[in-house]
Amino acid sequence: MTQAIVQLVDSRQGGGIETHILQLTQALRGKGYPVIVVFLKDYGPHPLKEQLDAAGIDWHIAQQGLVAAACFLRQHGLLVNTHGYKAGILGRLAGYLYRIPVV
């Protein structure tokens, strides 16, 4: 996997932010940017995962916790776009430590 814009989220169910992530990711891909959605934790079946699969968009689950998520961002993050407070805290910390731009 190459470096990509990472859409980082901690989400238990579908809703407005998940719709935003899907639309934003599709728009970025349409402009030629590599994008991956990263879930901080696996809460089981999720409508966004199904929508991402249907759209052919890569997604990943950082199942081992925050350290594993930070390492994933270091390896694959060209830019991190956080969604929600948990993702915001982790994304900003990883961005600071690994010099990755964070939005």
Side-chain angles (χ1 to χ4, degrees):
M1 179 181 299
T2 62
Q3 286 201 312
I5 296 172
V6 175
Q7 303 287 345
L8 185 64
V9 64
D10 183 46
S11 177
R12 292 179 187 257
Q13 60 190 11
I17 196 65
E18 292 76 15
T19 300
H20 170 72
I21 290 169
L22 178 63
Q23 292 173 350
L24 178 59
T25 301
Q26 289 174 318
L28 288 167
R29 280 193 36 187
K31 297 287 184 179
Y33 293 102
V35 185
I36 184 170
V37 175
V38 175
F39 294 87
L40 288 179
K41 188 172 180 181
D42 188 3
Y43 294 104
H46 195 292
L48 180 57
K49 293 176 192 173
E50 295 170 11
Q51 294 167 330
L52 293 169
D53 285 339
I57 297 169
D58 292 332
W59 56 272
H60 175 80
I61 297 172
Q63 292 182 342
Q64 293 90 17
L66 298 179
V67 173
C71 290
F72 184 89
L73 295 177
R74 181 182 67 195
Q75 292 174 352
H76 303 290
L78 178 64
L79 173 112
V80 178
N81 187 8
T82 66
H83 303 276
Y85 79 94
K86 289 180 188 176
I89 292 168
L90 174 69
R92 283 169 181 75
L93 179 60
Y96 175 77
L97 292 173
Y98 303 125
R99 299 177 190 234
I100 304 167
V102 179
V103 178

